[in-house]
C-alpha cells in the first residue's frame, strides 16, 4: 500500500479540527464503557483520564488515516499499551459497584455492542467523507476547467479602428456563464455582438460556444447583416431543444458615419449622442434566436457623429435587485451614460459596473460592450 495514500482526503485546518473534536467526543465514551465493565471503583479523575486517553487514541487513528500510513506504526502500539499501563498504574479500591446479581454477561454484551456500533458508525462516516470529498474534488476540477474554457471563449475586448474604439467585458454569475461577447474586425468592417443564452450553467455555456462558432464561421463567408442573423437563427433552431433560445444584438461599422444593427429579442441598443448629451434607443423588433426557424430578421442602419457612444448590454445589469426587490432598471443606466458618456471607455464600464454592484448582488451574467465613434 503506498505510504502517502490516505484513507481520508486532506482538508482545511478548521474542518480538520471539527472532525478531530467529533472523533474525540465520540470515542471518549469508550473510556466510560471500560469503567462500567469493571467491578472495581476508580477515582473520578481516573475515569476522566481514561475517557480522555481513549479519545486521544481515536484522534491519533483519524490523523493516521488522513496523513500517511507511517503514523499507524506509531499509533498502533500506543493504542494497545497505553490503556494497559494506565489500568495497571491506577490505584484501585475495593469493589463498590452494587449491581444486583453482579455484572451479568448481558452487561458485557451490551458494552461490547456499544463499542462495535461506535467503531462501525465511525467507519461509515469516514467512508462517506472520503467519497464525498473525492466527488467534490472532481466537480471542482471540472468546474475549474469549464471556467477556463468559458474565459477563453469570452475574453475581454479592447481595440481601435479608424472608425471606432471598442471596450467590453463579460462577468459570469457562476463558473460558466451564458453571455456571449465578441468582435470580428477584418480590416474592412468591424462587427460587434453580444448574446444572452437562456438558462445558466454548463448547458447555457455550451450553447453560447455554439453561437460564437456559428457566427464567426458565417462572418467569414461575408454577406449582409440580415443574412448573417437569419442563418444564425436557423442554426440555433436546428441544434437546440425547443425551450432553448438566445437573445442577440449586433452592430457593424463598415462605412463612415453609418452603422448597421440587428436585434433578436435583446435589449435596445443605447446610443449616447455627444452633441445633445442625450440617450437614444434602438429598439428590438424580432423574436430571440432559435424560437422560430422561419423568422425573418432585418437589419437597420443608424447615423452617428464623432464622439457618439453605442452601448450593448445584457439584462444582468438591468435586473439586479436590491434588498427591497427593486431592479436597477434602464433609467439608472441611461442617467449614468448621460453623466459619463464622454469619459474614457474603461471608466464608463467601471462606473456602470460599480453602480450595479452597489445596488445589489449579481443574479445573472453581466456583459457590457461599448463602442465610441472616432
Amino acid at each position: 500500500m503506498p505510504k502517502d495514500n490516505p484513507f481520508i482526503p486532506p482538508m482545511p485546518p478548521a474542518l480538520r479540527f471539527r472532525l478531530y473534536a467529533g472523533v474525540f467526543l465520540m470515542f471518549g465514551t469508550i473510556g466510560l464503557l471500560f469503567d462500567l465493565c469493571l467491578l472495581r471503583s476508580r477515582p473520578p479523575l481516573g475515569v476522566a483520564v481514561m475517557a480522555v486517553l481513549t479519545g486521544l487514541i481515536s484522534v491519533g487513528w483519524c490523523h493516521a488515516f488522513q496523513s500517511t500510513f507511517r503514523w499507524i506504526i506509531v499509533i498502533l502500539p500506543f493504542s494497545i499499551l497505553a490503556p494497559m499501563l494506565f489500568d495497571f498504574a491506577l490505584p484501585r479500591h475495593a469493589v463498590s459497584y452494587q449491581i444486583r446479581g453482579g455484572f451479568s454477561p448481558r452487561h458485557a454484551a451490551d458494552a461490547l455492542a456499544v463499542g462495535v456500533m461506535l467503531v462501525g458508525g465511525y467507519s461509515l462516516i469516514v467512508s462517506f467523507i472520503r467519497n464525498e470529498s473525492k466527488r467534490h474534488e472532481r466537480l471542482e476540477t471540472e468546474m475549474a476547467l469549464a471556467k477556463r474554457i468559458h474565459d477563453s471563449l469570452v475574453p475581454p475586448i479592447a481595440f481601435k479602428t479608424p472608425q471606432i474604439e471598442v471596450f467590453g467585458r463579460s462577468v459570469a454569475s457562476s463558473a460558466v456563464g451564458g453571455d456571449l461577447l465578441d468582435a470580428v474586425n477584418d480590416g474592412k468592417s468591424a462587427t460587434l455582438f453580444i448574446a444572452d443564452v437562456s438558462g445558466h450553467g454548463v448547458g447555457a455555456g455550451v450553447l453560447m460556444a455554439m453561437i460564437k462558432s456559428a457566427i464567426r464561421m458565417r462572418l467569414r463567408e461575408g454577406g449582409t447583416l440580415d443574412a448573417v442573423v437569419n442563418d444564425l437563427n436557423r442554426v440555433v433552431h436546428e441544434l437546440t431543444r425547443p425551450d432553448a433560445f438566445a437573445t442577440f444584438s449586433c452592430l457593424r461599422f463598415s462605412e463612415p458615419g453609418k452603422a448597421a444593427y440587428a436585434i433578436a429579442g435583446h435589449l435596445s441598443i443605447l446610443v449616447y449622442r455627444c452633441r445633445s448629451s442625450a440617450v437614444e434607443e434602438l429598439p428590438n423588433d424580432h423574436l430571440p434566436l432559435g424560437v422560430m426557424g422561419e423568422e425573418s430578421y432585418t437589419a437597420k442602419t443608424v447615423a452617428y457623429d464623432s464622439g457618439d457612444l453605442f452601448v450593448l448590454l445584457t439584462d444582468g445589469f438591468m435586473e439586479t435587485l436590491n434588498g427591497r426587490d427593486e431592479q436597477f432598471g434602464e433609467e439608472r443606466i441611461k442617467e449614468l451614460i448621460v453623466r459619463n458618456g464622454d469619459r474614457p471607455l474603461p471608466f464608463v464600464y467601471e462606473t456602470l459596473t460599480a453602480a450595479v454592484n452597489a445596488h445589489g448582488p449579481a443574479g445573472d451574467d453581466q456583459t457590457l460592450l461599448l463602442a465610441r465613434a472616432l
Side-chain angles (χ1 to χ4, degrees), residues 157-339:
I157 293 175
F159 67 90
K160 283 186 178 180
T161 73
Q163 291 178 261
I164 56 171
E165 178 187 6
V166 179
F167 185 92
R169 296 288 187 275
S170 180
V171 178
S173 60
S174 58
V176 181
D179 279 8
L180 171 62
L181 164 74
D182 203 4
V184 176
N185 181 22
D186 61 8
K188 298 179 182 179
S189 65
T191 303
L192 320 176
F193 53 93
I194 64 174
D196 186 357
V197 176
S198 60
H200 298 277
V202 176
V206 170
L207 180 54
M208 179 270 292
M210 291 168 52
I211 292 175
K212 177 171 182 174
S213 300
I215 193 170
R216 277 187 165 260
M217 291 298 295
R218 183 59 183 82
L219 288 173
R220 282 178 169 271
E221 298 175 4
T224 65
L225 200 57
D226 307 67
V228 170
V229 179
N230 279 287
D231 287 349
L232 181 61
N233 175 62
R234 284 189 287 270
V235 169
V236 175
H237 181 73
E238 292 170 359
L239 296 181
T240 60
R241 61 183 188 274
D243 61 336
F245 60 88
T247 63
F248 182 77
S249 182
C250 62
L251 278 167
R252 173 176 286 180
F253 296 88
S254 57
E255 55 181 297
K258 188 180 295 184
Y261 71 93
I263 306 175
H266 201 78
L267 300 173
S268 300
I269 297 175
L270 304 179
V271 185
Y272 170 75
R273 299 298 185 178
C274 185
R275 291 184 179 180
S276 62
S277 296
V279 175
E280 174 186 334
E281 289 188 42
L282 305 180
N284 166 63
D285 295 324
H286 297 285
L287 294 173
L289 299 176
V291 175
M292 293 182 61
E294 300 305 320
E295 173 78 1
S296 179
Y297 295 86
T298 57
K300 299 179 180 180
T301 59
V302 57
Y304 63 84
D305 295 321
S306 176
D308 286 354
L309 176 65
F310 292 84
V311 180
L312 289 75
L313 72 169
T314 58
D315 55 12
F317 280 87
M318 304 285 196
E319 297 177 358
T320 295
L321 299 174
N322 61 12
R324 297 185 297 274
D325 287 338
E326 298 172 343
Q327 292 187 354
F328 190 77
E330 186 177 13
E331 291 306 315
R332 288 189 177 95
I333 294 289
K334 290 181 178 180
E335 291 173 5
L336 290 170
I337 293 173
V338 168
R339 292 202 299 264

Side-chain angles (χ1 to χ4, degrees), residues 7-26:
F7 289 118
I8 307 175
M11 59 184 68
L15 186 60
R16 183 185 305 167
F17 174 79
R18 292 172 59 186
L19 174 64
Y20 287 176
V23 169
F24 178 85
L25 294 175
M26 179 184 294

Side-chain angles (χ1 to χ4, degrees), residues 41-88:
S41 65
R42 297 175 182 272
L45 180 61
V47 177
V49 171
M50 190 63 179
V52 171
L53 182 61
T54 55
L56 290 177
I57 290 173
S58 302
V59 170
W61 278 102
C62 184
H63 182 72
F65 291 154
Q66 193 179 357
S67 54
T68 64
F69 291 111
R70 288 177 296 184
W71 277 96
I72 296 179
I73 301 175
V74 177
I75 194 63
L76 181 59
F78 182 79
S79 302
I80 298 172
L81 297 176
M84 295 174 59
L85 294 175
F86 174 78
D87 186 64
F88 178 78

